[in-house]
Amino acid sequence: DAGVIQSPRHEVTEMGQEVTLRCKPISGHDYLFWYRQTMMRGLELLIYFNNNVPIDDSGMPEDRFSAKMPNASFSTLKIQPSEPRDSAVYFCASRTKTPGIDNEQFFGPGTRLTVL
Amino acid sequence: AQKVTQAQTEISVVEKEDVTLDCVYETRDTTYYLFWYKQPPSGELVFLIRRNSFDEQNEISGRYSWNFQKSTSSFNFTITASQVVDSAVYFCAFDYGQNFVFGPGTRLSVLP
């Protein structure tokens, strides 16, 4: 299995621009998670999906952030407009359906976002 | 509220020393899962171990061992005979079904 795939790996953009981060979960995994990692705040859960449906988006910082999962093999995290404080590493993770059985999350390599 | 504490922000040891990374969690749930992840300098997050709340057996995997004690709400991680390649940030995490909470991480530096 290829694991969780994220693109791009690095993104540099200017303040005010729209940024779209992409994730392909591991095939057969029913849960998908988006995290943000910064030095100041550590790893923060932004949103997670179960069977393509957003379950908890309480971690999404503000309306500038939105996430979608149009099908089981693809998700996007969009920031519009981007701001310098959004600079961080964004991780996508996925896991299987059944809690307690192989319920660890598998992480993608991350997207390092720099907003100038 | 569920919470994971890793009191050690940074630890430095010399190669071949043993080192223990502490993890303490808070919960009122009876069913939950605990994890350790490693984040090496390259940045990826690597799963190390999962433990459920009903299994207090300690586990050993090569130079790694984990000590889970429900009585003290701790899930500590020991590296025996540390190596330079063990240098990384180690995260303890907690899954209680509703959410997945990471601790702040402990940065381990193993010096040659």
Side-chain angles (χ1 to χ4, degrees), chain B residues 13-16 82-85 87 109-112:
Chain B
V13 298
V14 177
E15 206 170 18
K16 297 184 183 177
S82 59
Q83 299 176 1
V84 173
V85 293
S87 297
S109 297
V110 182
L111 308 174

Side-chain angles (χ1 to χ4, degrees), chain A residues 8 14 46 50 90-91 94-95 109:
Chain A
E14 293 188 347
L46 300 178
N50 179 20
Y90 291 81
F91 287 100
S94 69
R95 74 150 214 237

Side-chain angles (χ1 to χ4, degrees), chain A residues 33-36 43-48 59-60, chain B residues 99-100:
Chain A
F33 304 78
W34 281 102
Y35 289 87
R36 178 172 69 177
L43 267 165
E44 303 174 274
L45 176 65
L46 300 178
I47 185 171
Y48 77 92
M60 296 285 263
Chain B
N99 210 334
F100 202 89

Side-chain angles (χ1 to χ4, degrees), chain A residues 28-32 48-55 69 71-72 97:
Chain A
H29 281 191
D30 300 271
Y31 286 82
L32 183 139
Y48 77 92
F49 295 82
N50 179 20
N51 290 324
N52 313 336
V53 177
I55 303 301
M69 192 164 186
N71 57 61
K97 175 179 181 178

Side-chain angles (χ1 to χ4, degrees), chain A residues 68-84:
Chain A
K68 294 182 180 179
M69 192 164 186
N71 57 61
S73 59
F74 183 65
S75 176
T76 59
L77 178 67
K78 186 176 293 187
I79 309 173
Q80 165 64 19
S82 59
E83 296 182 3

Side-chain angles (χ1 to χ4, degrees), chain B residues 74-91:
Chain B
S74 64
F75 186 41
N76 297 337
F77 173 28
T78 297
I79 302 174
T80 303
S82 59
Q83 299 176 1
V84 173
V85 293
D86 296 327
S87 297
V89 180
Y90 291 86
F91 292 94

Side-chain angles (χ1 to χ4, degrees), chain A residues 35 37 43 45 48 56 91 95 100 102-105 107, chain B residues 33 35 37 39 43 45 47 50 91 95 98-100 102:
Chain A
Y35 289 87
Q37 186 178 33
L43 267 165
L45 176 65
Y48 77 92
D56 184 354
F91 287 100
R95 74 150 214 237
D102 297 333
N103 64 330
E104 60 270 19
Q105 296 182 21
F107 284 78
Chain B
Y33 304 88
F35 305 81
Y37 283 83
Q39 187 173 40
L45 280 153
F47 164 73
R50 173 187 72 248
F91 292 94
D95 180 355
Q98 307 301 316
N99 210 334
F100 202 89
F102 278 87

